[in-house]
Structures are given as structure tokens and as C-alpha cells.
Amino acid sequence: MKNLHSIIFNNSFTETFPGDQSGNLQPRQTPGVLYSKALPTPVTKPTLIGWSDEVASGLGLSKPDEEDIKLLAGNLITPSMRPYSACYAGHQFGNWAGQLGDGRAITLGELQTATGKVWEIQLKGAGPTPYSRRADGRAVLRSSVREYLMSEAMSHLGVPTTRALSLVSTGDPVLRDMFYNGNAEYEPGAIVARVAPTFLRFGNYELLGSRNELDNLKKLVDWTISTHFPHIQGEDNVISWFKEVLKRTAFMITEWLRVGFVHGVMNTDNMSILGLTIDYGPFSFLDAYDPAFTPNTTDLPGRRYAFGQQAGVAQWNLGCLAGALSPLFPDTKPLVDAIESYEDLFWTQYYHMKGNKLGLDKVKSEDVVLIDQFETFLAQVQPDMTIFYQSLAELNLEIAENGREAILGHFQNSFYTSLSQKDEADLFELVNKYINRIKANNCTREVSLEIMRKANPRFILRNYLLHQAIQDLQNGDNGLFLKLEEAIKDPYSKKFDEFVNKRPDWANEKAGCSMLSCSS
Ligand code: AMP
Ligand code: MG
């Protein structure tokens, strides 16, 4: 175990690719390079608020000392670091946005563990970079707590994600117009140190494609494959790699749908090339099961990034990546075929996942009807997604003998509104069908329940809990934050049942509890 400040960092990305070494932080276009040197801007009073022991132990790091805390705030650069911001582009809300880049993220270096695994360490909110455009390069405590806790929560749920090592408050106020409505206010600033094998996004490849920098594009693709997909070799490695990116992306989305996660800003610059959940902003878990729910106020007009749109948007985004890569292919048919294969791949994974949520031994073709019927019922009645599935796992298979009232009573706690006559009849029919199907399982009830327990989280990090923890932190009380930090580690158990509740009424319309803006 070592202290972070004594690590000798690797810098393979900056050593491999052309970069702008001027250190100039003025916003600008940077053609011809994949990154720009960018030193963090020091802050007034770094204070450690969160430290992930699990991430730290994976990196071989000991508890942070004073020097480490300075480093995590951008106040200490050690000799082996080559801090930089990556240049990337992207499609935002379906439109080409041109060059974007790390506007508030600075990579410090690559940490190689004793087992040889390499992790990029990046500070988010460490000050302006050449890609900050008109913004300040900073992050507020509110958004940093959200990223810190949620990336760890997702990891413990088993969803592919970038990780968070630390959360540090800066002591410097940051001006934010939280709802873009002219009511800017000062909020405490903070910095998250986040960790991933790489933070490369679809947008890194799109940038080079759009600029017709084909040598750089080819070099980036080759480096990505050899560094991050070393098992992919041979002549057709680029298409094999693209297919793997596609597969990982489809898997990530299936996992989001399993746990009820809505990312909120699925622009191509927020799509990790490793198929990790990345760039936590105005995300939310579903409370009520509404496939049209988007947590992002900017997304309200079109609901492009709503819960139920995510699989389709991912395919669209993969299409953008394929477009960027197409100059590397003499014939683009393999790319087109791969994009077309997405639907089969996704739906197969999707029904498998849904079968697990329902506790089916396996998904037979006739089960698709039952699964779809659940989907229709949930969208129609909009119960609390998490609590509904918990109730389903607690169902007594003989309950139907006691009639409709018993079934209704069993699920009562998951409903946000009272059910119509039709809803009640649909629930009765659905549960009866379901019980018959479960009785036809070729496995014991215990095995089926075990499948359900693994597929259905009991504790989810709801936005209203985050909101409360953030408010308390801003008032100097870290009690709830620390409790949530523990609860996220055990989302499938009953250990944290004090947090297993529907969204309370007070949170329905409250800013930060249901809707958020990109500045979140
Ligand atoms: P996002 O929607 O958070 O993924 O951000 C889209 C783009 O805006 C990225 O290039 C970000 O780096 C940039 N950006 C977001 N917030 C800030 C900020 N406070 N300062 C500088 N750049 C930012
Ligand atoms: Mg982003």
C-alpha cells in the first residue's frame, strides 16, 4: 500500500499521441492533437469529504494524508504526472456539436497496480481547460456528491461504471444557475477524483473522423484495441472491436433497465468506449415506473433520453461511432451489419434480464408474452419499480386463493395512486398467470427467489435521498452522507430497509428530487 502522492504515474496516452504542450488554458479549437496539457488551478481549502476504501484498495492506495488531499484537490502535482484534458467532439441531443473536450476534467496520470492493471485518475472540477468554452471548469458540491455516491452505488449494483476514489470540497464558492432561469447562486465547490481504465468516449473517435485526421484516428483505434481490448487480434480486429463495443454498450443499457437507471444525457460524448456508465449529471433512478420519464429538464421537450428510449438512443450513438470509423473501412457493410445486429443482441439480453427479475428458470418463447404483459401493466399503473419487484419476490404462491383483495393488498405499498377497476382486474389476471408460470419452473422456489434477489435491488440511491444528504452536508452534517455511503455497498440486502421507501410526497416537485438540469 502506498500513498497517492508517492505513486510513479505512467503516461502512455500523452506519450503516444500528439498533444498541445503549451499549457495555455484559453478556450480554443485544437486541431491536430488529441489532448492539451492542462494544470489544475489550485483551490483555497481542500477538505476530504469522501474516500472510497474499496477503490483505494484496488489501486493499492493507503488512507490519504495531507499531501494526498492536496493532490486530490489539484493543489499538488507530482513529478511523474502529465496533467491533460482530452479533446473530443460529440452529438448532443441528436445534433452535431463539434469540438467539446474535457471542460472540467483533468487526467493526472495512469496508475499501474501490482497486478499490472492500469487506471486513469481524473479530477473533475479542477479548473478551466482549453475545452471549458464559456464555463468555469468547476463543479459544485451538489453535483460532486451525486457523481461520487452514484458511481459507487452503480458499481455495487453490478452495473458497468467508472469509479470514484474521493470527494474533496474546495473552500471556493462556485456560481451556478441551477435551472438556467437567471437565478444564479453561489454554491460550495468540490472535486471528485474518478477512476477508469480509460475515459475515452465515442466523441474522441468522432472528433478525428470529423476533422479527417485519419492517421490519428487509426492510431487511436489501434491503441484502444491493444491497450484496452488486448484479446482482440488479427486482420479483422477493428470490426471485431466495434462489435465488442456494441455488445458492451447493449449490456450496459440492459443493466440500466434492470435497476431502473436513467442517465439523462446520452450524448455521444458521454458514451464510454468501454461500455461503462460515465459522466453522472442529471441522472435518476425511476421511482414510479414511467418509461417516458426523463430527469433532465433540458430533455423535456423531446424526452430523447427518457428511460424507455435508452436502448434505441444507444444504437443511434453507435451509428455515430460507426460513421466516424467508416473511413478506416474499404467497404462499410461490416459496420452496417454490426449496427443492424444490435437489436437482436439487445432484445435477447433484455428478455433474459427480465426473466431473471421475474424469477423464471429460463425464458421460453411463450414467456415473452408474460414479460411484455408485465411491462404494459407497469407502464399503465406506474407503481414504484423497485418496491413492486420486491413485493413480487415476497409473493405467496397460494395468495390467489384469497381473491383479488389479497393480491391488491400485497402490492399496495408499491402504488403511488389508487388503481382503477381495470388496473385491479389486470393485476389479478397478471399475478395469476405469473403464479402458474412460476409453478412450472424446472427449479425449486428457493432457486427462483435467489435469481430474483440478484436481479432486483432493494435499496436504490433515490434522488430525494441524495438531495437530503447534500442539504445536510451543506449545513455541516455528514451523517446521512456516511450512511448512504454504507447503504450503497449492500443494495440487495435488507440491511438498509430504513431507506427502502417510495419517494415521499414532499419530493414530487422539489428541485433536485425529480427533475435536474445539466448543471447537476
Ligand atoms: P456534460 O453534459 O456534463 O457531459 O458536458 C458537456 C460538455 O460541457 C463537456 O465538454 C464538459 O466538459 C463541458 N462542461 C460541463 N460543465 C462545465 C463546466 N462547469 N466548466 C467547463 N466545461 C463544462
Ligand atoms: Mg460529459
Short mmCIF file of all heavy atoms in Angstrom, two decimals, residues 88 92 100-105 124 127-129 131-139 176 201 265 267 269-270 279 281-282 518, ligand 1:
data_model
loop_
_atom_site.label_atom_id
_atom_site.label_comp_id
_atom_site.label_asym_id
_atom_site.label_seq_id
_atom_site.Cartn_x
_atom_site.Cartn_y
_atom_site.Cartn_z
N TYR A 88 -12.36 15.98 -27.45
CA TYR A 88 -13.34 15.12 -28.12
C TYR A 88 -14.48 15.97 -28.65
O TYR A 88 -14.57 17.17 -28.35
CB TYR A 88 -13.85 14.00 -27.20
CG TYR A 88 -14.35 14.43 -25.84
CD1 TYR A 88 -15.62 14.96 -25.67
CD2 TYR A 88 -13.53 14.31 -24.71
CE1 TYR A 88 -16.09 15.34 -24.42
CE2 TYR A 88 -14.01 14.70 -23.45
CZ TYR A 88 -15.28 15.21 -23.31
OH TYR A 88 -15.73 15.58 -22.08
N GLN A 92 -24.94 16.10 -29.55
CA GLN A 92 -25.72 16.42 -28.35
C GLN A 92 -27.19 16.57 -28.74
O GLN A 92 -27.52 17.33 -29.65
CB GLN A 92 -25.21 17.72 -27.72
CG GLN A 92 -23.74 17.61 -27.29
CD GLN A 92 -23.27 18.77 -26.44
OE1 GLN A 92 -23.51 19.92 -26.79
NE2 GLN A 92 -22.59 18.48 -25.35
N LEU A 100 -15.83 19.49 -28.29
CA LEU A 100 -16.27 19.73 -26.89
C LEU A 100 -15.04 19.61 -26.00
O LEU A 100 -14.41 20.59 -25.69
CB LEU A 100 -17.35 18.74 -26.49
CG LEU A 100 -18.65 18.82 -27.30
CD1 LEU A 100 -19.50 17.57 -27.13
CD2 LEU A 100 -19.44 20.06 -26.88
N GLY A 101 -14.68 18.39 -25.64
CA GLY A 101 -13.46 18.16 -24.84
C GLY A 101 -13.73 18.23 -23.35
O GLY A 101 -14.80 18.61 -22.91
N ASP A 102 -12.72 17.81 -22.58
CA ASP A 102 -12.82 17.84 -21.11
C ASP A 102 -12.83 19.28 -20.64
O ASP A 102 -11.78 19.89 -20.47
CB ASP A 102 -11.62 17.12 -20.48
CG ASP A 102 -11.67 15.61 -20.64
OD1 ASP A 102 -12.78 15.06 -20.66
OD2 ASP A 102 -10.58 15.00 -20.72
N GLY A 103 -13.99 19.81 -20.40
CA GLY A 103 -14.10 21.22 -19.99
C GLY A 103 -13.86 21.41 -18.51
O GLY A 103 -13.58 22.52 -18.04
N ARG A 104 -14.03 20.33 -17.76
CA ARG A 104 -13.77 20.45 -16.32
C ARG A 104 -13.18 19.16 -15.77
O ARG A 104 -13.31 18.87 -14.58
CB ARG A 104 -15.03 20.83 -15.56
CG ARG A 104 -16.22 19.93 -15.82
CD ARG A 104 -17.30 20.27 -14.84
NE ARG A 104 -18.55 19.68 -15.22
CZ ARG A 104 -19.63 19.73 -14.47
NH1 ARG A 104 -19.59 20.37 -13.32
NH2 ARG A 104 -20.75 19.18 -14.87
N ALA A 105 -12.56 18.40 -16.66
CA ALA A 105 -11.90 17.17 -16.20
C ALA A 105 -10.44 17.24 -16.60
O ALA A 105 -10.11 17.63 -17.72
CB ALA A 105 -12.57 15.95 -16.81
N LYS A 124 -12.38 15.87 -11.53
CA LYS A 124 -13.49 16.58 -12.18
C LYS A 124 -13.83 17.81 -11.36
O LYS A 124 -14.18 17.69 -10.18
CB LYS A 124 -14.71 15.65 -12.29
CG LYS A 124 -15.87 16.28 -13.05
CD LYS A 124 -16.88 15.23 -13.47
CE LYS A 124 -18.12 15.87 -14.08
NZ LYS A 124 -19.13 14.86 -14.43
N GLY A 127 -10.80 23.08 -12.41
CA GLY A 127 -10.48 24.38 -13.02
C GLY A 127 -10.50 24.35 -14.52
O GLY A 127 -10.64 23.30 -15.14
N PRO A 128 -10.36 25.54 -15.13
CA PRO A 128 -10.53 25.67 -16.58
C PRO A 128 -9.50 24.88 -17.39
O PRO A 128 -8.37 24.66 -16.93
CB PRO A 128 -10.38 27.17 -16.84
CG PRO A 128 -9.91 27.77 -15.58
CD PRO A 128 -10.12 26.81 -14.46
N THR A 129 -9.92 24.49 -18.56
CA THR A 129 -9.06 23.80 -19.53
C THR A 129 -9.31 24.48 -20.88
O THR A 129 -10.26 25.25 -21.01
CB THR A 129 -9.43 22.31 -19.64
OG1 THR A 129 -10.57 22.18 -20.50
CG2 THR A 129 -9.73 21.67 -18.29
N TYR A 131 -10.83 23.43 -23.10
CA TYR A 131 -12.13 22.97 -23.60
C TYR A 131 -13.29 23.44 -22.71
O TYR A 131 -14.40 22.93 -22.82
CB TYR A 131 -12.11 21.43 -23.72
CG TYR A 131 -10.89 20.99 -24.50
CD1 TYR A 131 -9.84 20.30 -23.89
CD2 TYR A 131 -10.76 21.33 -25.85
CE1 TYR A 131 -8.70 19.94 -24.60
CE2 TYR A 131 -9.62 20.99 -26.57
CZ TYR A 131 -8.60 20.30 -25.93
OH TYR A 131 -7.47 19.96 -26.65
N SER A 132 -13.01 24.41 -21.84
CA SER A 132 -14.07 24.87 -20.93
C SER A 132 -15.08 25.77 -21.64
O SER A 132 -16.11 26.12 -21.06
CB SER A 132 -13.47 25.63 -19.74
OG SER A 132 -12.64 24.78 -18.99
N ARG A 133 -14.75 26.19 -22.86
CA ARG A 133 -15.62 27.12 -23.61
C ARG A 133 -16.00 28.30 -22.72
O ARG A 133 -15.12 28.93 -22.17
CB ARG A 133 -16.83 26.35 -24.16
CG ARG A 133 -16.36 25.32 -25.22
CD ARG A 133 -17.46 24.46 -25.75
NE ARG A 133 -17.91 23.51 -24.73
CZ ARG A 133 -19.07 22.88 -24.73
NH1 ARG A 133 -19.94 23.12 -25.70
NH2 ARG A 133 -19.39 22.02 -23.80
N ARG A 134 -17.27 28.58 -22.50
CA ARG A 134 -17.59 29.77 -21.69
C ARG A 134 -17.76 29.44 -20.20
O ARG A 134 -18.09 30.30 -19.41
CB ARG A 134 -18.88 30.42 -22.22
CG ARG A 134 -18.65 31.24 -23.49
CD ARG A 134 -19.95 31.81 -24.03
NE ARG A 134 -20.91 30.76 -24.34
CZ ARG A 134 -20.87 30.02 -25.45
NH1 ARG A 134 -19.91 30.22 -26.33
NH2 ARG A 134 -21.78 29.08 -25.67
N ALA A 135 -17.56 28.18 -19.84
CA ALA A 135 -17.83 27.78 -18.45
C ALA A 135 -16.56 27.85 -17.60
O ALA A 135 -15.49 28.20 -18.09
CB ALA A 135 -18.43 26.39 -18.44
N ASP A 136 -16.69 27.52 -16.30
CA ASP A 136 -15.61 27.82 -15.35
C ASP A 136 -14.71 26.64 -15.01
O ASP A 136 -13.75 26.79 -14.25
CB ASP A 136 -16.21 28.39 -14.06
CG ASP A 136 -17.23 27.45 -13.44
OD1 ASP A 136 -17.35 26.30 -13.92
OD2 ASP A 136 -17.91 27.85 -12.48
N GLY A 137 -15.04 25.45 -15.51
CA GLY A 137 -14.19 24.29 -15.21
C GLY A 137 -14.36 23.75 -13.80
O GLY A 137 -13.62 22.87 -13.37
N ARG A 138 -15.34 24.27 -13.09
CA ARG A 138 -15.54 23.86 -11.70
C ARG A 138 -16.79 22.99 -11.56
O ARG A 138 -17.63 22.94 -12.44
CB ARG A 138 -15.67 25.09 -10.80
CG ARG A 138 -14.38 25.88 -10.65
CD ARG A 138 -13.31 25.05 -9.98
NE ARG A 138 -12.05 25.79 -9.79
CZ ARG A 138 -10.93 25.21 -9.38
NH1 ARG A 138 -10.86 23.92 -9.16
NH2 ARG A 138 -9.83 25.92 -9.22
N ALA A 139 -16.88 22.33 -10.43
CA ALA A 139 -18.07 21.53 -10.10
C ALA A 139 -18.54 21.93 -8.71
O ALA A 139 -17.72 22.30 -7.86
CB ALA A 139 -17.72 20.05 -10.13
N ARG A 176 -23.63 29.16 -9.82
CA ARG A 176 -24.40 28.26 -10.70
C ARG A 176 -25.83 28.73 -10.86
O ARG A 176 -26.50 29.05 -9.87
CB ARG A 176 -24.45 26.84 -10.12
CG ARG A 176 -23.25 26.00 -10.42
CD ARG A 176 -23.15 25.63 -11.90
NE ARG A 176 -21.93 24.88 -12.16
CZ ARG A 176 -20.73 25.42 -12.37
NH1 ARG A 176 -20.59 26.72 -12.37
NH2 ARG A 176 -19.68 24.66 -12.59
N ARG A 201 -14.27 8.29 -25.03
CA ARG A 201 -15.70 8.24 -25.38
C ARG A 201 -15.87 8.10 -26.89
O ARG A 201 -14.92 8.33 -27.64
CB ARG A 201 -16.37 9.58 -25.00
CG ARG A 201 -16.20 9.97 -23.59
CD ARG A 201 -15.58 11.37 -23.47
NE ARG A 201 -15.08 11.54 -22.09
CZ ARG A 201 -15.86 11.90 -21.10
NH1 ARG A 201 -17.10 12.23 -21.32
NH2 ARG A 201 -15.37 11.96 -19.87
N VAL A 265 -28.42 12.22 -20.06
CA VAL A 265 -27.70 12.98 -21.10
C VAL A 265 -26.88 12.02 -21.95
O VAL A 265 -25.65 12.06 -21.97
CB VAL A 265 -26.73 14.04 -20.55
CG1 VAL A 265 -26.55 15.18 -21.56
CG2 VAL A 265 -27.16 14.59 -19.22
N ASN A 267 -25.59 11.90 -24.70
CA ASN A 267 -24.91 12.43 -25.88
C ASN A 267 -23.71 11.54 -26.19
O ASN A 267 -23.22 10.84 -25.30
CB ASN A 267 -24.46 13.86 -25.60
CG ASN A 267 -25.64 14.81 -25.43
OD1 ASN A 267 -26.70 14.59 -26.03
ND2 ASN A 267 -25.48 15.83 -24.61
N ASP A 269 -20.74 12.18 -26.53
CA ASP A 269 -19.55 12.50 -25.74
C ASP A 269 -19.68 11.93 -24.32
O ASP A 269 -18.73 12.03 -23.54
CB ASP A 269 -19.30 14.01 -25.69
CG ASP A 269 -20.53 14.79 -25.23
OD1 ASP A 269 -21.57 14.69 -25.90
OD2 ASP A 269 -20.46 15.48 -24.20
N ASN A 270 -20.82 11.36 -24.00
CA ASN A 270 -21.00 10.73 -22.68
C ASN A 270 -21.13 9.21 -22.81
O ASN A 270 -21.68 8.57 -21.92
CB ASN A 270 -22.24 11.31 -21.98
CG ASN A 270 -22.03 12.76 -21.56
OD1 ASN A 270 -20.90 13.20 -21.39
ND2 ASN A 270 -23.10 13.49 -21.40
N ASP A 279 -19.97 10.00 -16.72
CA ASP A 279 -20.46 11.38 -16.65
C ASP A 279 -21.84 11.47 -16.01
O ASP A 279 -22.85 11.70 -16.66
CB ASP A 279 -20.48 12.03 -18.04
CG ASP A 279 -19.10 12.56 -18.42
OD1 ASP A 279 -18.14 12.22 -17.72
OD2 ASP A 279 -18.99 13.30 -19.41
N GLY A 281 -24.64 13.15 -14.37
CA GLY A 281 -25.18 14.51 -14.30
C GLY A 281 -26.60 14.48 -13.78
O GLY A 281 -26.84 14.08 -12.64
N PRO A 282 -27.57 14.82 -14.65
CA PRO A 282 -28.96 14.82 -14.19
C PRO A 282 -29.60 13.44 -14.27
O PRO A 282 -30.66 13.27 -14.86
CB PRO A 282 -29.63 15.80 -15.17
CG PRO A 282 -28.81 15.72 -16.40
CD PRO A 282 -27.40 15.40 -15.99
N CYS A 518 -28.67 20.03 -16.57
CA CYS A 518 -27.34 19.53 -16.92
C CYS A 518 -26.30 20.03 -15.93
O CYS A 518 -25.28 19.39 -15.72
CB CYS A 518 -26.95 19.94 -18.34
SG CYS A 518 -27.67 18.85 -19.55
P1 AMP B 1 -21.82 17.19 -19.92
O1 AMP B 1 -23.20 17.46 -20.40
O2 AMP B 1 -21.64 17.38 -18.42
O3 AMP B 1 -21.29 15.87 -20.36
O4 AMP B 1 -20.89 18.32 -20.55
C1 AMP B 1 -20.84 18.62 -21.91
C2 AMP B 1 -19.59 19.44 -22.19
O5 AMP B 1 -19.61 20.63 -21.40
C3 AMP B 1 -18.29 18.74 -21.87
O6 AMP B 1 -17.34 19.15 -22.82
C4 AMP B 1 -17.96 19.27 -20.49
O7 AMP B 1 -16.60 19.19 -20.19
C5 AMP B 1 -18.43 20.70 -20.60
N1 AMP B 1 -18.76 21.28 -19.28
C6 AMP B 1 -19.81 20.99 -18.48
N2 AMP B 1 -19.77 21.72 -17.36
C7 AMP B 1 -18.66 22.50 -17.42
C8 AMP B 1 -18.07 23.47 -16.56
N3 AMP B 1 -18.59 23.81 -15.40
N4 AMP B 1 -16.93 24.04 -16.99
C9 AMP B 1 -16.37 23.73 -18.16
N5 AMP B 1 -16.89 22.85 -19.01
C10 AMP B 1 -18.02 22.22 -18.66
#
